[in-house]
Amino acid sequence: MDRVRQGRPGIRRRIGAVIGVGAAAALAVTVLAAPAQSADAAAADVNVAKNAGFEAGLSDWTCAAGSGASVTSPVHGGVKALKAAPSGQDTAECSQTVAVKPNSTYKLSSWVQGSYVYLGARGTGTTDVTTWTPGNSSWQQLSTSFSTGANTTSVTVYTHGWYGQGAYYVDDVSVLGPDGGGGTDPVEIPPVPAGLAAGATTSTSVDLSWTPVSTATGYTVYRDGAKVASVAGASTTVTGLTPDTAYSFQVSAVNAAGESPKSAAVSARTAKAGGGDGGPVPKHALTGYWQNFNNGATVQKLRDVSAQYDIIAVSFADATSTPGQIAFNLDPAVGYSSTADFKADIAAKRAAGKSVILSVGGEKGSISVNSDASATAFADSAYALMREYGFDGVDIDLENGLNPTYMTKALRQLAAKAGPKLVLTMAPQTIDMQSTSGGYFQTALNVKDILTVVNMQYYNSGSMLGCDGKVYSQGTVDFLTALACIQLEGGLDPSQVGLGVPASTRAAGSGYVAPSVVNNALDCLARGTGCGSFKPSKTYPGLRGAMTWSTNWDATAGGAWSGSVGPKVHGLP
């Protein structure tokens, strides 16, 4: 799927006369793994940084050229954070010298926000370290580690931005290791947790998540003022609820010093009994990709997506520095005031019987699952995002190849976690589904028992072979039907085959067909009518439906695609 503006379409791989490669490189954050320590040593570690959360302003910190200040927003934990503003001649470095023990290992971490933020340590007596991020509009944790030399008793830890870039923010710095004699900040009651939000709901449960508090050792969850759970992490599922009932939730943070005040309340209503949990996907379904970015198409909130769409694929998940692991970062460009507002839209769509899934990949996707560890990381992170946001499943749109062995393992692990309601879709390119020996086709067949639908992209493709061995050009009814035939005769159930096309001429570099052509192809495959020169040897009335890139481009064109193809899909036999 293209993220670029019109006029710069992504180039897909071709065969025959159509040649090209689409690729994107991900800039990874370097993370140095700390050597293993004994349980006794780890238990003795303390944070040797002072005023680590900047709650005492800039006390214990020095910022170059007066570039730093203590601010109350944004903050990651507590009520204050550091804001530092680089100039054209200065990186706005803020530093602190901490007392350390010789021949020891320390884990250095901090939460940061902004463009080009660096975290490092120098004067270690061994190898000085640094790590950085190119930028993020939300809080992101940087982490590395260092070892001290035989005579090292102090180390300078620092953070800085980059010349001429915008201001950056830092909070909750940690230099975790043996006490070097300088002590540490005394333990205080943790601040009130922020960001409490309700995620996925069923008729008897509500998923809750909030922003972690760095000084907390646990959290207490309240329902309508009464304590209902104590948890270690910053999320939980409250169960045992009554269907179609509104509840109010709060959370507090706790540690050895005590419990914080309760957070602001968030309300959530459970689904009605027997429904509202998203899906099930209807026999004939319309799929649309929703853009979590602005590339010139109409900017939408999920609530604005046409009700014709049965499956909405949120595009896209992001890669992390851990192989196989995915994350999701809501783009401010789409206009949501908060993540909670976005989650509420997902919940509303699911309550209306729609499925909302997270698409992994896209034209610029750089997620790779090619080992047991990365398969597990994919499954664990995908399931965590499903729980956090309320996604019903995932869409696999890896346009730079996939490993069928390990992607199969990843999807199997995810299905084991998510259960039978998992919605699993795929959006391969035409080249990926020309033969059952291809990695994508192999993966689809490997997970056939848990696969919802494959919506192949019949665009940005060039000419391809049909199931009759003849070459067909994109943009025709024959191209759609003869290539769909390969999947239908290659082992996929008709309910697992959909036709993926652009919503408008602006949505893809090539391959657009009018909605009437899509409808003819659907009739040809399902009813045996409306065919071109190619006519399948039999009909497939169970055909799942159609997909488009994207709901945003559809809206730009006045909803012409969903307004025409949607009723056709829903009226299939």
Side-chain angles (χ1 to χ4, degrees):
M1 309 296 180
D2 295 341
R3 299 200 197 197
V4 296
R5 294 183 181 273
Q6 180 193 10
R8 295 178 58 201
I11 301 175
R12 304 296 199 272
R13 291 167 290 163
R14 310 286 195 266
I15 59 174
V18 185
I19 302 174
V21 176
L27 183 60
V29 175
T30 301
V31 180
L32 303 178
Q37 293 180 313
S38 69
D40 289 341
D45 286 349
V46 297
N47 181 9
V48 299
K50 300 295 184 63
N51 189 26
F54 302 96
E55 302 301 319
L58 296 185
S59 175
D60 297 299
W61 292 90
T62 300
C63 295
S67 55
S70 178
V71 296
T72 57
S73 179
V75 297
H76 176 262
V79 297
K80 292 183 181 180
L82 168 69
K83 175 183 179 181
S87 67
Q89 304 296 322
D90 184 75
T91 61
E93 179 180 293
C94 293
S95 63
Q96 178 180 151
T97 299
V98 298
V100 295
K101 268 190 174 182
N103 296 321
S104 299
T105 298
Y106 291 81
K107 181 179 179 181
L108 172 63
S109 65
S110 179
W111 289 88
V112 301
Q113 185 178 142
S115 298
Y116 298 98
V117 190
Y118 291 73
L119 175 70
R122 58 175 174 261
T124 62
T126 56
T127 301
D128 293 349
V129 297
T130 186
T131 183
W132 70 291
T133 174
N136 203 309
S137 59
S138 58
W139 287 104
Q140 173 183 351
Q141 189 177 38
L142 293 180
S143 181
T144 183
S145 64
F146 62 88
S147 297
T148 55
N151 299 309
T152 305
T153 58
S154 65
V155 169
T156 298
V157 295
Y158 63 88
T159 183
H160 67 74
W162 201 245
Y163 304 99
Q165 298 298 315
Y168 69 91
Y169 300 87
V170 179
D171 204 357
D172 298 334
V173 179
S174 176
V175 189
L176 192 65
D179 187 352
T184 185
D185 287 339
V187 176
E188 298 178 351
I189 292 176
V192 178
L196 178 62
T201 61
T202 71
S203 57
T204 59
S205 68
V206 173
D207 285 356
L208 298 174
S209 62
W210 53 91
T211 303
V213 177
S214 62
T215 56
T217 57
Y219 304 90
T220 301
V221 180
Y222 295 86
R223 184 190 70 213
D224 296 332
K227 179 179 177 180
V228 293
S230 294
V231 298
S235 65
T236 191
T237 299
V238 180
T239 59
L241 306 179
T242 302
D244 195 22
T245 302
Y247 292 94
S248 176
F249 299 96
Q250 293 171 285
V251 64
S252 65
V254 297
N255 65 12
E259 179 180 1
S260 76
K262 298 174 185 176
S263 69
V266 63
S267 297
R269 176 176 288 274
T270 51
K272 295 180 180 180
D277 297 341
V281 176
K283 177 181 178 182
H284 301 298
L286 197 71
T287 301
Y289 286 78
W290 175 84
Q291 298 178 187
N292 180 39
F293 51 88
N294 180 3
N295 67 344
T298 297
V299 174
Q300 291 182 311
K301 292 184 172 66
L302 285 176
R303 71 193 70 156
D304 303 322
V305 173
S306 168
Q308 291 287 348
Y309 292 101
D310 305 292
I311 303 175
I312 303 169
V314 171
S315 312
F316 294 96
D318 298 306
T320 74
S321 58
T322 300
Q325 186 181 71
I326 61 174
F328 179 72
N329 298 292
L330 186 63
D331 192 332
V334 299
Y336 278 101
S337 60
S338 66
T339 301
D341 192 23
F342 174 69
K343 292 177 180 178
D345 270 7
I346 293 177
K349 281 293 184 182
R350 297 180 76 241
K354 310 299 183 182
S355 296
V356 183
I357 61 178
L358 179 60
S359 184
V360 179
E363 178 205 1
K364 297 185 178 182
S366 58
I367 296 156
S368 178
V369 178
N370 54 17
S371 67
D372 285 326
S374 59
T376 298
F378 179 91
D380 289 347
S381 57
Y383 184 57
L385 292 171
M386 288 176 62
R387 287 175 57 84
E388 179 181 357
Y389 287 91
F391 295 124
D392 293 284
V394 295
D395 167 69
I396 306 302
D397 181 23
L398 297 173
E399 300 182 12
N400 296 299
L402 56 73
N403 183 307
T405 298
Y406 293 107
M407 181 53 73
T408 297
K409 289 185 176 183
L411 296 176
R412 289 280 177 202
Q413 290 181 47
L414 177 59
K417 294 173 179 290
K421 289 188 176 182
L422 174 71
V423 177
L424 172 59
T425 71
M426 295 183 177
Q429 301 166 102
T430 52
I431 184 63
D432 296 320
M433 302 299 284
Q434 283 278 284
S435 168
T436 55
S437 64
Y440 235 116
F441 214 144
Q442 287 182 44
T443 303
L445 295 175
N446 289 346
V447 298
K448 182 179 177 180
D449 58 312
I450 58 172
L451 177 64
T452 305
V453 63
V454 175
N455 291 303
M456 190 172 74
Q457 301 177 40
Y458 293 77
Y459 51 96
N460 290 347
S461 171
S463 300
M464 288 286 165
L465 293 173
C467 66
D468 57 356
K470 296 180 180 180
V471 176
Y472 294 94
S473 299
Q474 67 177 356
T476 64
V477 66
D478 288 332
F479 188 76
L480 301 179
T481 55
L483 269 67
C485 174
I486 297 176
Q487 300 171 61
L488 292 163
E489 295 303 311
L492 293 181
D493 188 84
S495 67
Q496 295 173 321
V497 177
L499 307 180
V501 296
S504 70
T505 56
R506 298 177 62 190
S510 61
Y512 171 75
V513 291
S516 60
V517 176
V518 181
N519 291 345
N520 286 340
L522 293 169
D523 278 336
C524 178
L525 294 168
R527 296 186 170 97
T529 62
C531 301
S533 61
F534 172 81
K535 186 170 183 176
S537 60
K538 62 181 179 181
T539 58
Y540 308 92
L543 190 77
R544 180 67 79 174
M547 171 274 281
T548 195
W549 178 262
S550 61
T551 65
N552 305 75
W553 285 116
D554 183 27
T556 303
W561 192 89
S562 59
S564 176
V565 180
K568 172 61 71 173
V569 165
H570 297 138
L572 290 174

